[in-house]
Amino acid sequence: MRVVVDLNRCQGYAQCAFLAPDVFAMHGEEALLYDGQPDDTRRLDVLRAEAACPVKAITVEGAGATWAAEGAGVSDGG
Ligand code: SF4
């Protein structure tokens, strides 16, 4: 699975770091650090983070079906 964050779009809301702390971490107030090739065991966390990002800055590739995020009951809030 591959994770790409558009850091130009990212506003540092930290939704991703909250939902998938093993993959995303805030460094200070604004800078986001992330693991671009997280373990597959983190798949659901990553998909939740992708779905929750208010600015849709997160792209996940090779995670299987994106319906998993929809099925995870994630709301699209800030
Ligand atoms: S949820 Fe989106 S905007 Fe917020 S820190 Fe993560 S990538 Fe950036």
Side-chain angles (χ1 to χ4, degrees), residues 48-75:
R48 283 183 174 137
E50 178 192 30
C53 177
V55 293
K56 301 290 174 230
I58 302 172
T59 303
V60 182
E61 296 167 2
T66 48
W67 52 259
E70 288 159 26
V74 176
S75 70

Side-chain angles (χ1 to χ4, degrees), residues 28-76:
E29 298 265 308
E30 296 180 352
L32 177 71
L33 301 177
Y34 67 99
D35 180 355
Q37 297 203 301
D39 193 272
D40 275 353
T41 59
R42 302 272 69 86
R43 187 173 69 97
L44 192 55
D45 287 354
V46 168
L47 290 172
R48 283 183 174 137
E50 178 192 30
C53 177
V55 293
K56 301 290 174 230
I58 302 172
T59 303
V60 182
E61 296 167 2
T66 48
W67 52 259
E70 288 159 26
V74 176
S75 70
D76 194 4

